[in-house]
Amino acid sequence: MWNLEGQTVRGVYFDQPVEGVVTLSRVKYGGAVQHTVDLFHSITMFGQERTIVLLDVTEVVSVESNDCDGLFYWDVA
């Protein structure tokens, strides 16, 4: 499943762990998938505070799903 909109994800952005909700999943030119993630906790990158990051599918570590009874995380690795 490539569309993770509304799901909580954990990932790595420029070597920093991040966690937030995917607000947009898209297929970029060339076929790679990219997710826009609204962070639960802001990070500082290059002297600026970031509350939203773009994660390529390879940078997503785990995804929380609530499609079943209860919540669970599945690892993407």
Side-chain angles (χ1 to χ4, degrees):
M1 175 164 93
W2 67 272
N3 187 349
L4 300 179
E5 292 176 8
Q7 300 292 321
T8 297
V9 297
R10 294 177 181 160
V12 178
Y13 183 75
F14 286 93
D15 295 326
Q16 290 193 43
V18 294
E19 183 177 12
V21 175
V22 175
T23 57
L24 177 68
S25 292
R26 72 182 191 102
V27 178
K28 300 190 306 184
Y29 183 76
V33 175
Q34 183 180 65
H35 305 289
T36 302
V37 180
D38 188 5
L39 301 177
F40 293 146
H41 306 285
S42 63
I43 60 172
T44 301
M45 292 293 305
F46 309 112
Q48 295 184 338
E49 184 177 352
R50 312 274 180 174
T51 58
I52 297 173
V53 296
L54 301 177
L55 294 181
D56 286 338
V57 70
T58 58
E59 298 169 320
V60 175
V61 176
S62 65
V63 179
E64 180 182 286
S65 177
N66 55 3
D67 295 337
C68 305
D69 295 330
L71 296 174
F72 66 93
Y73 276 94
W74 54 274
D75 292 327
V76 179

